[in-house]
Amino acid sequence: MQLNALIRQTRLLSSEYSLKRDRDLAYLMELKEENLLFPYYTEAGLNGRLNYRPEPWLHGGWDSPLSQIRGTFTGHWLSAAARLYQETGDIRLKAKADYIVAEIGRCQEANGGEWAFPIPEKYLQGLKQGRHFWAPQYVCHKVMMGLLDMYQYADNRQALQILEGCAAWFSRFAADISRETMDDMMDLEETGGLMELWADLYGITRSRQHLELMRKYERPRLTGPLLEGRDILTNMHANATIPEIHGCARAYEVTGEERYLRIVESYWRLAVDDRPPFATGGQTDAETWAPPGKQAARLSDMNQEHCVVYNMIRLADYLYRWTGEKKYQDYIELNLVNGLLAQGFWEARALDGALEPHVPDSGIVCYYLPLAPGSVKKWGRKTEDFWCCHCTAVQANARYREWIWYQSGAVISAEQFIPSETEAEIDGKKLFLRMEDCDLGGNYLRYHDVAGEIMIRPAFRRIQITVSAPEPTAFTLRLRLPWWLKDRAVVSFQGENSSQGENFSRNENSSQDENSSQGKKIFSPGENGYLQITRLWSGTQQLILELPKGLTCWPLADEPDTVAFLDGPVLLAGLTEHAHMLYGNRNRPESFLAPDHEREWEAWKEGFRTVGQQENFRLLPIKNIGRECYTVYFPVNTVCP
């Protein structure tokens, strides 16, 4: 099944995802244009004479004027701004992004009409000679990526013109580079996603020049062994390689060559299928792939680089769109909840000084998500750090809507249960779909039926999907049944109740009175892990999906008695410095973990606490932890002392 993501039509509704997106947008607006452009002006000679000590208002860290990868963040800024503008329509953001593109164009003109980058050309020429400059091709990729997204999502024609000038420079640069020299250059410093960028550009222009660049920027010393099925990933830098596999994925899409598909599938098998992830969904330690099945010795303060999480989600999305296989969306969900939400745009509660500081503590991104006992997240600051993960954080939090809704012909799939609305078209007929969490809390100032019906924290998610079909339209609504289900999923469709299982499948004629539509409806659940509803949809109809959840133990691959705890897909972290020995049945973690502070006004909280232990402690979702000390994995013994 080949699917297309419904990106441009989708908008987030109120949720923790839209909150992160809004913080991202506010941050993009807060940063000053002159700082984002400073290294571009400097390289083009448009800053005048710089004979003074850098001022404190300039960006620091990896974006400082003396950093060899200065200006990289600006490319990510443009990419995030373009996508956020296309979703939100924020004209202030569009004006700011258009201005930055225009100024980069002015720098390109001052540089002679091709070079538009914030670093000197000699960095790349030196790389060709085997001299170390920090990832200059990576820098160029991020700038061009931002320009490409400004063209594709913000309709900025100048961005494409600048990009084509940059491509002309690279064509001349790469023309006389032998395959061996190019391979050495790619081993010497990260190349980023240049192959994917050239494939994207070729998909737009169909220029042979851009196709040749795409092929030139494949990395045979990586792709060759992958085609042979050899595991060369162990202890290899993860995020240097994933964007190169994105290049092969995009090359497959624009050329149709099966060889590229085999490379991508091989990488996924070696990185994920044969290399069990941690309970977060991530796998790396100190930015490298750990050996398959070896996890206990790799718990550290350098697990789960944010860039790896983001780029592996993107790789899973490629594979899902080609195959329709549920495992890729299960992977995306685990990494969204316990990766992107846990590592980006954190802000403490502000309860008017009652419980928190008057000015909320905050952080942009955690480069790593530590998993060792007694871990503490280290948050990047607004203008002092600008790590690579700072860059992917602004992109990732602009892209949540892209992994929710997909379409293949007359099949529409809801993959991530993130409140959102989207549009689709089938046989020329418009459809409108809306997904929201049902209110399971009720209003605490007045009587509400749900308050009496659900008196303790619910062990399920209840989701309402509204389908509006102005014209009667036949299509299949496909709903993912996630891996963490603890019982049969229950569907309520206009007064009819059914549950996932053998007794769910049925084929019957429905009356217009019952369903506000005419024709046949077919419920066929459980097929490849999906619930499918095929019918003639007409008018506005609502579907209620209930997903039972509960606690699950996730063991270390090489220490099965050491486990982490998940509530549905949400990883729980203990607020303790030590990996205490716990006593209980690992198959029934609810026997020694109990809800904690389960309600706050009208909202259900997600915390737990241990019970019956020698030393009890609280557990919170790792996505909600800010600066607390925490531990994720605990040894569990079935025999009490």
Side-chain angles (χ1 to χ4, degrees), residues 1 12 85 90 107 158 214 229 253 271 294-295 331 374 380 434 489 504 515-516 525 528 530 532 578 582:
M1 175 184 286
L12 296 183
Y85 163 71
D90 191 311
C107 292
Q158 185 183 8
M214 183 198 81
E253 292 185 338
K294 302 296 182 183
Q295 295 184 318
Y331 179 91
R434 184 180 179 93
F504 184 93
N515 297 287
S516 301
N528 299 320
Y530 283 88
Q532 299 190 135
H578 306 291
L582 300 178

Side-chain angles (χ1 to χ4, degrees), residues 529-582:
Y530 283 88
L531 171 71
Q532 299 190 135
I533 303 172
T534 302
R535 64 180 296 141
L536 183 68
W537 304 78
S538 181
T540 298
Q541 297 163 316
Q542 290 181 342
L543 171 75
I544 303 296
L545 175 65
E546 192 165 288
L547 302 173
K549 66 182 180 72
L551 292 169
T552 301
C553 286
W554 188 296
L556 288 172
D558 49 348
E559 282 188 14
D561 292 341
T562 303
V563 305
F565 304 104
L566 294 102
D567 180 25
V570 178
L571 176 66
L572 303 171
L575 300 184
T576 173
E577 296 181 11
H578 306 291
H580 301 280
M581 173 66 75
L582 300 178

Side-chain angles (χ1 to χ4, degrees), residues 337-404:
V337 174
N338 306 305
L340 299 189
L341 288 183
Q343 291 179 257
F345 288 96
W346 166 74
E347 189 171 294
R349 295 185 304 169
L351 299 179
D352 297 326
L355 298 175
E356 305 287 347
H358 286 287
V359 178
D361 193 7
S362 64
I364 299 298
V365 68
C366 286
Y367 194 127
Y368 302 111
L369 186 67
L371 296 178
S375 290
V376 176
K377 296 179 182 179
K378 180 180 178 181
W379 292 98
R381 297 159 292 179
K382 287 185 176 180
T383 59
E384 292 89 348
D385 300 302
F386 290 106
W387 307 312
C388 55
C389 296
H390 197 130
C391 299
T392 52
V394 297
Q395 275 192 282
N397 286 274
R399 298 187 68 166
Y400 290 127
R401 63 172 175 152
E402 300 183 23
W403 304 305
I404 305 174

Side-chain angles (χ1 to χ4, degrees), residues 110-130:
N111 288 328
E114 292 182 347
W115 188 261
F117 303 109
I119 56 176
E121 296 179 46
K122 72 175 183 181
Y123 283 13
L124 273 81
Q125 300 295 351
L127 190 64
K128 188 189 295 188
Q129 299 161 11

